Amino acid sequence: MVVLVTGANGQLGQSLQFIAKNYPELHFVFCSSSDLDITNLESCQAVFLKIKPNYCINAAAYTAVDKAESEPEKANLINVIGPKNLAAVCKEFSSVLLHISTDFVFDGSKNIPYNETDIPNPTGVYGQTKLDGEKAIQAVFENYYIIRTSWVYSQFGNNFMKTMLRLASERDSISVVNDQIGTPTNAVDLANALIQIILTDNRQPTTDNFGVYNFSNEGQCSWYDFAKEIFKINNIKIDLKPIPTSSFPTPAKRPKYSVLDKTKINSTFGLEIKNWELSLKRTNSI
Ligand code: NDP
C-alpha cells in the first residue's frame, strides 16, 4: 500500500517520517515542496502517475497565521488551490485523500468543545483559507478524510514549544496569554492517528467513514498553562507572566476557545488519545 505525503519537511511531515518505520506494511513516499508543489496541477499529476498512491496525506500548508493577513493570495493558493488539485488527482487515480485542517475555522464563541457539525466562522485569513480548502475538496469528490486539529507542536519544525524554549534561553521573563483556551496536539500523535485511519480504511473499505473529523490531544489549557508545563518538564526556572490577549495584539484575531470534541474520531477508529500533558512529557524537546 503506497502512502504519499506532501509537505514532508513540515512538522507533521517530519513526524510522519519519524514513525514510518513502525508501519512496514505501508510504503511511504515523502515529497517536500521542491519534489511536489501542490499548487501545480501538472506536478501533482506527474507524481501520482509515477507512484500511484493508494492514500495521499496532505501535510503541506501555508501556516503563517499572522503573515496570511498581508499575503491572502499566497495563503489561498497553498491552502485552497493546493488541496483542490490533490482532490482532483486523487479522484483521477482512485486514491483516498487525508487532509489536515484547523480549529481556526471556528470563531471561538462556544464554551464547550466544538464538534464536526458546528458551523465554522473563521476570524482571519488563515482560518478562512483552511475552510475554503475543505470546501474545495468536498466540491471535487467524497473520498476524503478532513482532520481538524489544533495547537500542533513537536520536536520538528517551528512551533510554540520550541519558541518558548528559545525565548527562555534568551530572557529572564516571558509573558504569555491566558485567555485563549484550546488543546495542544503532539504532531507525532496526529501522525499516528492518520495512519490508524489509513489502516482501518484499508482493512474495512467503506465509504461510510469518509468526512470531517476532529483530532487533538485530550484536555484543555491556555497558552500560559501550556508554556508553564513546557518549562516545568524541561526544569526551566523563569518568570512567566499571564497576560490577556488585549496586551498581546497580533495581526490575526484568534478564537478565544477552540477545544475540539474527539468523540467521532474515537468511536470510528478506536483511537486512544493521550492527555496533552502526558504527550508533552514524552516529547523529546531538545
Ligand atoms: P508546517 O508549516 O510545519 O509545514 C508545512 C509544509 O508545507 C512545509 O514543509 C512547506 O514546505 C510545505 N509547503 C508549503 N507550500 C507548499 C506547496 N506549494 N507545495 C508543497 N508543500 C508546500 O505545518 P505543520 O506541519 O505545522 O501543519 C500541518 C497541517 O496542520 C497544516 O495543514 C496546518 O494548517 C494544520 N494545522 C497546524 C497547526 C499548527 O499549530 N501548526 C494547528 C492546526 C492545524 P516549505 O517549508 O518548503 O515551504
Side-chain angles (χ1 to χ4, degrees):
M1 219 181 355
V2 179
V3 180
L4 168 67
V5 179
T6 66
N9 287 345
Q11 57 168 337
L12 175 60
Q14 289 189 65
S15 301
L16 283 159
Q17 296 194 51
F18 181 65
I19 63 165
K21 62 183 177 310
N22 302 334
Y23 299 97
E25 67 273 45
L26 301 179
H27 174 67
F28 286 92
V29 178
F30 291 100
C31 289
S32 70
S33 58
S34 47
D35 303 322
L36 168 56
D37 175 359
I38 63 165
T39 67
N40 181 325
L41 183 60
E42 285 79 44
S43 163
C44 297
Q45 281 165 329
V47 170
F48 270 64
L49 193 60
K50 191 167 166 209
I51 70 159
K52 301 192 172 56
N54 304 90
Y55 295 90
C56 171
I57 299 178
N58 181 28
Y62 180 104
T63 56
V65 176
D66 288 318
K67 213 169 163 201
E69 296 296 313
S70 53
E71 293 190 332
E73 294 83 11
K74 188 172 178 192
N76 190 72
L77 190 62
I78 300 170
N79 289 346
V80 185
I81 305 302
K84 183 182 171 196
N85 288 341
L86 290 174
V89 283
C90 280
K91 187 178 180 186
E92 190 182 334
F93 288 83
S94 301
S95 314
V96 172
L97 177 61
L98 289 87
H99 175 73
I100 320 305
S101 191
T102 172
D103 56 332
F104 281 23
V105 298
F106 297 117
D107 62 16
S109 56
K110 271 184 88 172
N111 52 18
I112 57 167
Y114 279 94
N115 61 45
E116 290 81 354
T117 56
D118 282 316
I119 308 292
N121 181 31
T123 58
V125 170
Y126 167 74
Q128 186 63 55
T129 60
K130 293 297 290 185
L131 178 61
D132 292 345
E134 295 182 7
K135 289 180 181 167
I137 292 168
Q138 289 162 336
V140 172
F141 78 152
E142 291 177 348
N143 295 8
Y144 62 80
Y145 295 101
I146 291 173
I147 295 94
R148 292 178 178 150
T149 189
S150 62
W151 299 22
V152 180
Y153 71 92
S154 64
Q155 60 267 52
F156 310 108
N158 297 318
N159 55 67
F160 180 80
M161 178 186 79
K162 291 177 111 184
T163 302
M164 287 299 115
L165 294 173
R166 177 177 55 77
L167 289 177
S169 69
E170 297 167 0
R171 302 183 188 176
D172 300 326
S173 162
I174 300 178
S175 299
V176 179
V177 297
N178 71 343
D179 56 358
Q180 288 171 31
I181 307 297
T183 311
T185 302
N186 188 321
V188 174
D189 292 344
L190 173 60
N192 274 308
L194 295 171
I195 303 304
Q196 287 315 314
I197 293 174
I198 289 177
L199 294 176
T200 304
D201 184 275
N202 187 56
R203 209 168 37 237
Q204 312 155 344
T206 167
T207 54
D208 294 352
N209 292 342
F210 292 139
V212 178
Y213 291 86
N214 292 337
F215 181 86
S216 67
N217 283 113
E218 290 290 3
Q220 65 175 58
C221 64
S222 69
W223 289 107
Y224 168 81
D225 300 326
F226 189 14
K228 197 168 157 190
E229 198 65 21
I230 291 166
F231 296 137
K232 188 173 131 196
I233 287 167
N234 288 280
N235 277 321
I236 292 170
K237 303 269 176 284
I238 187 153
D239 178 23
L240 179 65
K241 294 187 174 73
I243 53 163
T245 300
S246 55
S247 301
F248 189 71
T250 51
K253 188 168 178 263
R254 272 114 170 120
K256 233 178 134 44
Y257 178 90
S258 65
V259 178
L260 299 172
D261 182 329
K262 273 80 64 183
T263 308
K264 184 180 173 190
I265 202 164
N266 269 334
S267 59
T268 309
F269 301 105
L271 301 183
E272 281 179 26
I273 304 180
K274 290 188 205 97
N275 181 274
W276 73 268
E277 286 135 306
L278 181 67
S279 207
L280 178 63
K281 259 189 211 116
R282 292 157 67 120
T283 307
N284 174 14
S285 57
I286 310 298

